[in-house]
């Protein structure tokens, strides 16, 4: 399973490097407008064909590009119910603070857990190679973080259950706990 | 031996904002620059060889997308996303630049502007899918425009005049590079027939249309110094050249690095292309086609890197909160996409000896071909 990680991340990195060649582009449809073309989708010729990079049927990345913006959506591996809930809460926490993240989108795309919207403003103000590094690190770390949270959750659950069920154990004396 | 002591590139950090366009005046002492704001800066080269802002031209309401300086008639033209363009004339008595109205009659943003070789007209490409050729109307003291509309289907990204002053090439977002006739009866043009225009055509006639191999937006287009060859660079990472003697044979080469956004012919046989790879690359044209010659960014190799000592690792963790290596770094002089490339000086035969590039990192870098040639072990232009 770990064997597919490196080529997956490599493919995503190279696609991002190519898709993040963004430049300022005034709208062709509305005068004086300067909007991310990947969101407006008004002129077909300035949009790239969307590219989906799949590691397996549950982990994938969708990269949609255009002349002045790039939208990247990630579907994170969620093996069981607990991971689904943890992932949903974690992503929601970040997306509610999307202003501070700059490149995060407030709502993920249908079928994905989190979406980034990178415009030419971001590549002008920030280093492109650092942006890509950040996204790659995000993808690598997110799985680890969710697993850690799940372990913590299981650990706490176990401690609570042990303490509670101690009351019903016939061999232990009925006394009030000191905590 | 003085050539090797000169640095091959000099960096001027003009702004923190990206530079969208720049142009030198006739004697290279002044520079007009648009950073990505509605203001245009006129900068003067000081005694300390640094550029400082002399005047700020404030007339536009949106980002200024392109500027050009006509060296002989000393006029500046600027165009912006607010659908306007202005021609600025220098007032000798006050020492300031005064704007003159241009009736562009476009209803979308202007994207690129260039003075013609004779400086009697200029072309403005726009998002309104048309090309405006503007000339002066002395009766009303403003610049009027004639439009070329068919068959342009999308925003025009770049424009280049032919040395004959009445042909023009454009690159646009509909993946095509086109050559039009821009001969104006109003200015008394008497065009000659040439390889591009075998019979006399009227204004706005499409003379040639070229496609890009993999549907890339054409970012940069340029006629060679004689006007016989046309080169264009597109977003599909292709570099294309065609000779007017055989218009059906287009030589294409795909660059392994990221796409280019601008190009400059150094001589009849070579040109420099620069763009999203942050580095100007030299290409040579021959009868067989176009080929890559050299990367012109000869920066010293980043020393260090590789393994870090344990002490350095702990220090890095303590001070910066980072473990391991810092991730990717840029090794080129420009740290962001190069947006415009201009010739500065030419030698007796017309070959460019010095050129300048400006990029989205707010830097203007001047490159000296002699020192670069020495550093790279000889380049034939």
């Amino acid at each position: 399973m770990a064997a597919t990680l490196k080529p997956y991340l490599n493919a995503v990195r190279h696609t991002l490097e190519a898709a993040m060649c963004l430049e300022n582009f005034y709208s062709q449809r509305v005068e004086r407008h300067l909007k991310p073309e990947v969101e407006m989708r008004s002129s077909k010729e300035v949009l790239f064909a969307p590219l989906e990079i799949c590691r397996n049927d549950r982990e994938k990345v969708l990269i949609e590009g255009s002349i002045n913006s790039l939208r990247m959506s990630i579907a994170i591996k969620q093996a069981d119910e607990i991971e689904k809930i943890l992932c949903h809460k974690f992503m929601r926490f970040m997306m509610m603070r999307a202003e501070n993240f700059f490149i995060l989108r407030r709502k993920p795309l249908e079928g994905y857990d989190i979406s980034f919207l990178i415009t030419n403003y971001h590549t002008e103000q920030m280093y492109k190679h650092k942006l890509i590094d950040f996204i790659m690190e995000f993808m690598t770390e997110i799985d680890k973080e969710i697993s850690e949270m799940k372990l913590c959750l299981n650990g706490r659950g176990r401690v609570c259950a042990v303490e509670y069920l101690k009351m019903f154990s016939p061999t232990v004396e009925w006394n009030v706990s000191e905590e | 031996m003085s050539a090797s002591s000169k640095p091959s590139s000099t960096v001027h950090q003009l702004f923190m904002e990206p530079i969208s366009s720049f142009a030198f005046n006739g004697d290279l002492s002044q520079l007009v620059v648009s950073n990505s704001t509605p203001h245009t800066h006129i900068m003067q080269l000081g005694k300390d060889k640094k550029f400082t802002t002399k005047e700020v031209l404030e007339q536009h309401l949106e980002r200024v997308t392109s500027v050009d300086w006509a060296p002989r008639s000393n006029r500046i033209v600027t165009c912006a996303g607010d659908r306007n363009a202005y021609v600025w004339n220098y007032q000798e008595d006050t020492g300031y630049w005064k704007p003159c109205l241009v009736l562009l009659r476009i209803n979308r943003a202007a994207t690129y502007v260039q003075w013609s070789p004779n400086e009697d007209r200029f072309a403005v490409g726009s998002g309104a899918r048309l090309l405006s050729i503007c000339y002066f109307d002395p009766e009303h003291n403003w610049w009027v425009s004639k439009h070329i509309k068919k068959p342009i289907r999308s925003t025009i990204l770049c424009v280049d005049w032919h040395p004959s002053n009445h042909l023009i090439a454009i690159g646009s977002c509909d993946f095509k590079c086109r050559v039009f006739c821009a001969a104006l009866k109003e200015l008394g043009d008497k065009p000659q027939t040439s390889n591009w225009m075998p019979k006399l055509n009227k204004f706005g006639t499409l003379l040639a249309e070229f496609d890009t191999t993999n549907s890339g937006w054409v970012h940069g287009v340029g006629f060679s110094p004689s006007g016989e060859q046309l080169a264009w660079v597109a977003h599909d990472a292709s570099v294309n050249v065609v000779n007017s003697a055989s218009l059906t044979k287009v030589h294409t080469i795909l660059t392994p690095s990221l796409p280019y956004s601008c190009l400059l012919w150094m001589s009849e046989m070579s040109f420099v292309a620069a763009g999203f790879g942050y580095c100007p690359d030299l290409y040579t044209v021959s009868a067989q086609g176009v080929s890559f010659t050299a990367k012109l960014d000869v920066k010293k190799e980043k020393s260090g890197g590789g393994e870090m000592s344990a002490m350095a690792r702990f220090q890095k963790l303590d001070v910066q909160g980072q473990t391991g290596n810092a991730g990717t770094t840029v090794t080129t002089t420009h740290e962001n996409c190069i947006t415009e490339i201009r010739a500065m000086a030419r030698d007796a035969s017309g070959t460019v000896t010095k050129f300048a590039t400006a990029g989205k990192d707010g830097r203007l870098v001047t490159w000296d071909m002699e020192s670069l040639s020495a550093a790279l072990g000889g380049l034939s232009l």
Side-chain angles (χ1 to χ4, degrees):
Chain A
M1 201 47 193
T4 58
L5 182 62
K6 211 156 184 320
Y8 173 61
L9 292 178
N10 261 340
V12 175
R13 174 180 276 272
H14 286 306
T15 315
L16 280 179
E17 269 174 17
M20 235 186 258
C21 295
L22 307 172
E23 58 168 20
N24 194 43
F25 186 78
Y26 277 95
S27 171
Q28 287 180 142
R29 293 276 171 272
V30 186
E31 59 172 87
R32 289 190 236 244
H33 260 210
L34 219 174
K35 302 276 181 262
E37 289 295 325
V38 79
E39 296 283 350
M40 303 309 293
R41 307 200 85 85
S42 51
S43 309
K44 296 278 171 283
E45 70 269 19
V46 297
L47 300 173
F48 284 144
L51 188 69
E52 195 169 277
I53 303 168
C54 302
R55 190 179 170 189
N56 50 49
D57 56 349
R58 281 156 305 165
E59 267 186 83
K60 54 192 171 154
V61 164
L62 176 72
I63 298 180
E64 299 159 292
S66 73
I67 195 167
N68 65 353
S69 45
L70 161 74
R71 191 162 63 185
M72 179 184 167
S73 313
I74 309 176
I76 299 167
K77 176 184 73 161
Q78 292 148 59
D80 54 16
E81 278 297 322
I82 298 216
E83 277 192 13
K84 267 208 189 71
I85 298 172
L86 283 174
C87 179
H88 175 73
K89 285 201 180 300
F90 191 14
M91 295 300 125
R92 196 170 150 267
F93 175 85
M94 288 201 288
M95 287 192 280
M96 290 217 296
R97 291 150 184 82
E99 265 113 55
N100 298 341
F101 262 97
F102 298 114
I103 58 173
L104 202 58
R105 199 168 178 269
R106 277 199 169 264
K107 289 244 170 303
L109 248 58
E110 275 295 328
Y112 294 90
D113 300 305
I114 192 163
S115 291
F116 291 98
L117 176 67
I118 301 168
T119 62
N120 62 293
Y121 289 124
H122 299 135
T123 49
E124 284 168 7
Q125 290 160 2
M126 301 185 262
Y127 285 131
K128 172 179 148 182
H129 58 283
K130 292 278 183 225
L131 275 174
I132 297 181
D133 278 348
F134 170 76
I135 294 180
M136 298 318 301
E137 215 187 290
F138 180 87
M139 284 180 71
T140 355
E141 295 297 320
I142 207 77
D143 288 336
K144 271 190 235 164
E145 295 228 16
I146 293 185
S147 306
E148 260 180 55
M149 284 198 284
K150 184 172 158 191
L151 285 173
C152 271
L153 186 72
N154 283 340
R156 290 211 329 259
R158 194 177 317 116
V159 167
C160 288
V162 162
E163 281 308 309
Y164 180 68
L165 292 175
K166 269 188 196 163
M167 289 194 277
F168 304 103
S169 170
T171 55
V172 174
E173 276 186 21
W174 182 271
N175 57 7
V176 180
S177 87
E178 247 98 10
E179 278 95 333
Chain B
M1 280 301 111
S2 60
S4 52
S5 61
K6 259 194 292 184
S8 51
S9 61
T10 326
V11 179
H12 301 272
Q13 181 79 41
L14 298 181
F15 304 107
M16 282 290 113
E17 298 92 16
I19 294 176
S20 50
S21 191
F22 75 100
F24 283 102
N25 69 344
D27 56 9
L28 302 181
S29 59
Q30 289 188 15
L31 183 65
V32 61
V33 188
S34 60
N35 53 6
S36 302
T37 59
H39 303 318
T40 317
H41 293 250
I42 307 268
M43 303 188 108
Q44 178 96 31
L45 185 64
K47 296 260 176 2
D48 54 350
K49 297 277 182 248
K50 291 212 193 327
F51 284 101
T52 43
T53 304
K54 191 168 157 260
E55 196 183 333
V56 178
L57 308 178
E58 297 177 20
Q59 198 75 14
H60 288 290
L61 303 169
E62 288 275 342
R63 274 196 185 193
V64 175
T65 44
S66 184
V67 297
D68 199 12
W69 199 318
R72 292 190 300 276
S73 48
N74 205 35
R75 288 188 285 219
I76 294 176
V77 63
T78 59
C79 75
D82 60 356
R83 303 137 51 229
N84 285 333
Y86 291 101
V87 173
W88 301 81
N89 295 290
Y90 188 63
Q91 310 295 110
E92 290 293 340
D93 43 351
T94 57
Y96 287 108
W97 291 83
K98 186 159 165 262
C100 180
L101 192 64
V102 176
L103 296 177
L104 272 184
R105 301 182 289 125
I106 55 176
N107 55 6
R108 295 287 179 274
T111 52
Y112 199 86
V113 70
Q114 196 187 70
W115 283 105
S116 71
N118 291 353
E119 299 173 14
D120 55 352
R121 67 196 81 170
F122 58 89
V124 181
S126 66
R129 297 174 244 182
L130 50 83
L131 182 67
S132 287
I133 310 285
C134 305
Y135 57 94
F136 194 58
D137 180 6
E139 200 184 311
H140 296 103
N141 198 34
W142 59 29
W143 293 75
V144 287
S145 65
K146 276 190 85 161
H147 289 164
I148 298 180
K149 248 187 121 86
K150 296 190 171 56
I152 306 170
R153 309 282 301 281
S154 190
T155 304
I156 295 173
L157 293 177
C158 54
V159 149
D160 193 44
W161 283 95
H162 187 269
S164 70
N165 208 56
H166 56 255
L167 295 177
I168 191 161
I170 62 162
S172 53
C173 273
D174 55 0
F175 325 125
K176 298 219 198 295
C177 172
R178 297 184 170 94
V179 180
F180 288 98
C181 171
L184 288 167
K185 286 197 310 294
E186 291 86 344
L187 292 183
D189 270 353
K190 303 257 184 310
Q192 308 288 318
T193 57
S194 62
N195 277 335
W196 289 109
M197 198 161 66
K199 61 179 184 26
L200 292 179
N201 291 108
K202 59 186 172 94
F203 178 86
T205 322
L206 177 69
L207 298 172
E209 191 177 88
F210 304 104
D211 221 335
T212 43
T213 358
N214 294 321
S215 300
W217 311 304
V218 181
H219 286 295
V221 71
F223 278 107
S224 63
S226 70
E228 288 301 307
Q229 302 187 83
L230 179 66
W232 63 99
V233 286
H235 206 83
D236 58 346
S238 67
V239 173
N240 312 275
V241 181
V242 72
N243 195 311
S244 59
S246 52
L247 284 175
T248 46
K249 197 158 187 328
V250 176
H251 300 287
T252 309
I253 185 174
L254 289 180
T255 164
S257 70
L258 293 172
Y260 295 120
S261 51
C262 49
L263 68 93
L264 172 73
W265 283 88
M266 308 296 271
S267 68
E268 195 58 32
M269 290 286 118
S270 61
F271 59 88
V272 171
F276 293 101
Y278 311 166
C279 170
D281 293 339
L282 182 65
Y283 283 83
T284 330
V285 185
S286 65
Q288 285 76 41
V290 56
S291 62
F292 173 78
T293 312
K295 274 194 163 323
L296 294 180
D297 203 337
V298 253
K299 208 174 172 185
K300 58 179 185 339
E301 278 303 309
K302 219 174 131 52
S303 56
E307 294 308 303
M308 244 201 277
S309 71
M311 183 63 175
R313 238 180 245 274
F314 278 118
Q315 272 184 339
K316 204 173 174 92
L317 187 60
D318 179 39
V319 170
Q320 290 178 338
Q322 284 174 348
T323 52
N325 40 352
T328 19
T329 49
V330 276
T331 52
T332 50
T333 315
H334 273 291
E335 290 178 342
N336 210 326
C337 174
I338 296 176
T339 49
E340 182 122 37
I341 183 170
R342 295 258 185 193
M344 285 173 81
R346 287 170 202 270
D347 65 13
S349 64
T351 309
V352 175
T353 49
K354 218 171 160 202
F355 65 94
T357 54
K360 294 205 184 130
D361 47 1
R363 282 185 191 173
L364 179 81
V365 182
T366 56
W367 308 80
D368 183 62
M369 281 313 286
E370 261 186 75
S371 332
L372 280 174
S373 196
L376 290 166
L379 294 170
S380 60
L381 287 178

